[in-house]
Amino acid sequence: MNIEQEHFAVEIIYALPTQQKRIQINVAPGTSCIEAVELSGMTTYFPEIDLETVKLGIFSRAVKHNEVLVPGQRVEIYRPLIADPKDVRRRRAEKAKEEGRINKITGAKI
């Protein structure tokens, strides 16, 4: 058998605040990230995952659904953000101003 035709292992991972699931599967060369997620059966454990709109990554790097996998990669399934990080930071800064913990003009800590 030709080495290029051999299957190789990749890992699919999805995490919630209270639990995580890691599934290792063998895929053929040329398999895309979304195909690997479908093959893993992760949606049977977490039916809320929408394969059409889900964001994916490989080792914390955002990837497109059609990116081709290489041996040893870990496909991460990302959950939607609950809050916009910029809004959270802005609210935290406003609260600190109100409490007198930062200078209201410069924003520096007191």
Side-chain angles (χ1 to χ4, degrees):
M1 178 179 244
N2 191 344
I3 293 175
E4 293 178 351
Q5 296 176 344
E6 290 183 15
H7 286 59
F8 56 87
V10 294
E11 189 174 55
I12 313 299
I13 187 165
Y14 182 69
L16 296 173
T18 58
Q19 65 178 344
Q20 72 174 1
K21 183 74 175 170
R22 297 168 61 167
I23 299 172
Q24 187 167 339
I25 60 171
N26 289 319
V27 297
T31 301
S32 70
C33 291
I34 196 67
E35 290 171 339
V37 171
E38 291 169 354
L39 289 171
S40 73
M42 191 66 78
T43 55
T44 59
Y45 300 101
F46 304 99
E48 69 271 15
I49 298 173
D50 180 8
L51 294 178
E52 296 293 321
T53 61
V54 69
K55 302 286 186 206
L56 302 175
I58 295 176
F59 294 115
S60 300
R61 177 182 56 87
V63 297
K64 296 184 182 209
H65 285 201
N66 61 355
E67 184 164 325
V68 176
L69 293 168
V70 297
Q73 287 186 321
R74 179 182 70 208
V75 179
E76 301 157 344
I77 303 170
Y78 299 136
R79 293 179 285 127
L81 292 176
I82 297 170
D84 181 6
K86 290 181 182 179
D87 288 339
V88 172
R89 161 75 175 79
R90 192 174 299 114
R91 284 194 300 264
R92 194 170 52 237
E94 289 170 2
K95 182 178 177 186
K97 283 181 189 177
E98 291 169 5
E99 294 174 354
R101 292 185 285 132
I102 62 172
N103 184 306
K104 294 184 180 187
I105 297 171
T106 64
K109 290 183 179 181
I110 295 178

